[in-house]
Amino acid sequence: MSGETGIVLVERVSKSFDGFRALDEVSLAVRPGERVVICGPSGSGKSTLIRCINRLERHDSGRIVVDGVELGKDPRAIRAVRREVGMVFQQFNLFPHLTVLENLTLAPRRARGLPAAEARATAMHYLERVHIPEQAGKYPRQLSGGQQQRVAIARALCMKPKVMLFDEPTSALDPEMIKEVLDVMVELAMEGMTMLVVTHEMGFAQRVADRVVFMDQGQVEETAAPAQFFAEPASERARLFLGRVLGH
Amino acid sequence: MRSLRILALCLLLAACGSSTYSWGWYVVLPTTQQGTDNLRFLLSGLGWTVSVSLLAMLISVLLGLLVALPGISERRWLRLLNRGYVEIVRAVPVLVMLLWVYYGLPVVLGISLDAFAAAVLALALSDSAFEAEIFRGGIQSVARGQHEAAEALGLSWTDKMRYVVLPQALRRVLPPLGNQFAYMLKMSALASVIGLTELTRRANELVVNVYRPLEIYSFLVLEYLVLILLVSWLVRRVERRLGSDESRA
Ligand SMILES: Nc1ncnc2c1ncn2[C@@H]1O[C@H](COP(=O)(O)OP(=O)(O)OP(=O)(O)O)[C@@H](O)[C@H]1O
Ligand SMILES: [Mg+2]
């Protein structure tokens, strides 16, 4: 592993779904503490890319190395990576039969072997960080969408991950709830968390991203600093995409 | 259509009422010593009926779950294993299974089972195929996102199933499981043919001594009805208890 810098390394990764090439030789290296925003038109492979990073999807070829562990067939390696990589989904995917607190303590207890008291303390700590400690005893369905997504973020953070993946975390939210979730994400970025965020929230990208990765048709079309990317994208496709997203 | 059926029912009742049959309910009423003895005799089968059904249900649920799990695997051969089990076991009539276990197993495996063990085993096996299908359906009804969230958190397959998927699946399969339990209670009557002295066997025995089949079998119907109503009531209680987890305001 020596000589390789980066907590997430994606090298020439391809992935097809029944003949359809969702990822086409994608390469990406993320340094510790870096914030990368991934954007691109629908179907361009953004979700597939970040889902490959914690092996929710299997890549067909190429290499993915996370924190020095290469993802392959070995289930122990896969779980080791998943423990270090938090994921936040568009649809929250909270466990509906568990309380907020139980949602947060399950994985630390079962996958990290934390004692119950310690897991609870960690959970309360992160619930405070996402500003909803008072909801600990409730069930997910009793919370608003924005609250649910913040619980989902806290749930991932309770595993003390080294990297956080976000797949359109605000796309399923009502407009008035987007800000509360983005605020939490901005705070997380300020604290130095390594983040890969698929989002169309260009304001967020401008504020916190170190880099914007623009994907199209399964390929990384362009990578640039946000200032550069938003001012004058290099590719025609990125220009078209930005025009649509920013409503120009 | 509906009124036709009601009419038919009325005619049937009228026929009963006007028939020359003279009822002898005293054989199953505690008004005489004989009636009390008969009742005690009939009810002495209750323990076997309940214990056979409960034990067979317990085993068939566990077995069904065990069979359901390969049915949701990504591996084809595991799914085939599940299919094979379900199709074969489901095709055997319960009575045939019972006779086969009771008379056939001793020959094939050299182990002989008493009527109780044979009844439990046969009923459990028969029902496990249905249980397996119920569980498979329940597990598959849990959203993909639940699996993904559990996996993304680094939970092992066992922990994912135990803490995330199965608790949600179980809530959904409770009504069909209750149904299956009612069915099991009724199927336990078949154990009478291999000599288990459960409710139906007791009724048969009494009919031989006291020739009052209509009264005795009517009482038998009543016994099963009470048992099954009890099961329905219990299942609904459990459902409400589990459901309250998610809906408590
Ligand atoms: N499980 C799957 N089976 C078949 N095809 C899939 C599957 N997942 C994704 N695809 C296809 O792969 C392509 C890339 O999908 P992906 O979800 O990565 O796109 P995306 O960039 O995240 O799009 P969106 O912005 O709509 O979320 C799409 O054409 C999609 O239809
Ligand atoms: Mg997507």
Side-chain angles (χ1 to χ4, degrees), chain A residues 51 82 94 97 139 142, chain B residues 146 148 151 163 245 248:
Chain A
R51 287 162 58 84
R82 285 173 174 168
L94 294 176
H97 61 298
Y139 285 89
Q142 298 169 266
Chain B
Q146 293 290 307
E148 292 183 348
E151 285 165 18
Y163 294 103
D245 275 10
R248 197 167 54 207

Side-chain angles (χ1 to χ4, degrees), chain A residues 46-47 90 167-168 198:
Chain A
K46 308 178 297 289
S47 297
Q90 182 175 344
D167 191 0
E168 304 204 30
V198 175

Side-chain angles (χ1 to χ4, degrees), chain B:
Chain B
M1 189 61 216
R2 182 149 177 209
S3 51
L4 253 178
R5 261 192 242 147
I6 294 173
L7 187 70
L9 194 67
C10 289
L11 282 175
L12 196 73
L13 285 175
C16 283
S18 66
S19 76
T20 53
Y21 186 79
S22 66
W23 293 85
W25 286 112
Y26 65 89
V27 294
V28 288
L29 287 178
T31 44
T32 62
Q33 184 56 44
Q34 195 216 344
T36 312
D37 288 347
N38 287 347
L39 272 179
R40 196 168 290 144
F41 182 75
L42 286 172
L43 287 172
S44 71
L46 190 64
W48 287 125
T49 291
V50 170
S51 54
V52 161
S53 306
L54 267 180
L55 206 57
M57 189 67 192
L58 188 74
I59 294 172
S60 78
V61 162
L62 294 177
L63 201 57
L65 188 56
L66 213 66
V67 174
L69 291 175
I72 53 161
S73 169
E74 284 171 20
R75 298 204 188 99
R76 210 174 108 80
W77 68 272
L78 283 175
R79 288 202 309 275
L80 279 175
L81 207 70
N82 163 277
R83 275 318 328 138
Y85 183 94
V86 169
E87 294 300 346
I88 291 168
V89 173
R90 195 162 59 177
V92 183
V94 184
L95 181 57
V96 175
M97 180 74 88
L98 191 66
L99 294 172
W100 187 82
V101 166
Y102 190 60
Y103 297 109
L105 264 195
V107 181
V108 178
L109 295 180
I111 48 166
S112 98
L113 301 169
D114 61 17
F116 177 75
V120 168
L121 188 61
L123 290 174
L125 275 177
S126 276
D127 214 49
S128 66
F130 296 92
E131 234 68 73
E133 286 296 90
I134 291 172
F135 274 119
R136 191 170 61 87
I139 293 169
Q140 282 175 337
S141 78
V142 175
R144 175 105 224 104
Q146 293 290 307
H147 289 263
E148 292 183 348
E151 285 165 18
L153 283 164
L155 291 181
S156 65
W157 183 87
T158 321
D159 282 345
K160 174 185 82 173
M161 293 310 282
R162 178 166 161 207
Y163 294 103
V164 177
V165 178
L166 288 180
Q168 295 183 59
L170 203 63
R171 282 171 171 75
R172 290 176 210 179
V173 302
L174 214 57
L177 279 190
N179 215 23
Q180 215 54 35
F181 189 36
Y183 185 73
M184 182 72 90
L185 271 170
K186 296 195 294 180
M187 286 303 113
S188 71
L190 291 173
S192 60
V193 303
I194 57 169
L196 188 74
T197 51
E198 43 66 71
L199 288 175
T200 303
R201 176 79 178 197
R202 282 309 193 205
N204 282 335
E205 288 170 352
L206 192 64
V207 167
V208 173
N209 288 330
V210 185
Y211 194 71
R212 278 287 176 190
L214 198 49
E215 291 79 0
I216 291 169
Y217 289 134
S218 299
F219 183 76
L220 183 59
V221 167
L222 208 67
E223 286 178 307
Y224 283 111
L225 182 66
V226 168
L227 280 178
I228 281 160
L229 287 178
L230 200 70
V231 170
S232 304
W233 177 77
L234 275 174
V235 168
R236 250 176 293 131
R237 263 189 63 136
V238 176
E239 257 178 76
R240 232 173 305 143
R241 265 258 310 277
L242 288 179
S244 68
D245 275 10
E246 289 172 55
S247 56
R248 197 167 54 207

Side-chain angles (χ1 to χ4, degrees), chain A residues 178-237:
Chain A
I178 290 177
K179 186 174 176 300
E180 64 189 52
V181 171
L182 287 180
D183 284 347
V184 164
M185 290 170 62
V186 170
E187 286 164 26
L188 199 57
M190 294 309 150
E191 287 158 23
M193 175 62 78
T194 309
M195 296 163 75
L196 266 94
V197 185
V198 175
T199 185
H200 291 159
E201 294 292 332
M202 292 303 144
F204 173 82
Q206 269 164 324
R207 255 177 93 190
V208 307
D210 298 307
R211 249 192 311 158
V212 176
V213 170
F214 174 73
M215 291 187 68
D216 196 25
Q217 297 181 356
Q219 295 181 323
V220 172
E221 181 84 14
E222 181 170 349
T223 303
Q228 166 88 34
F229 181 74
F230 290 109
E232 42 180 334
S235 67
E236 181 56 29
R237 285 188 179 146

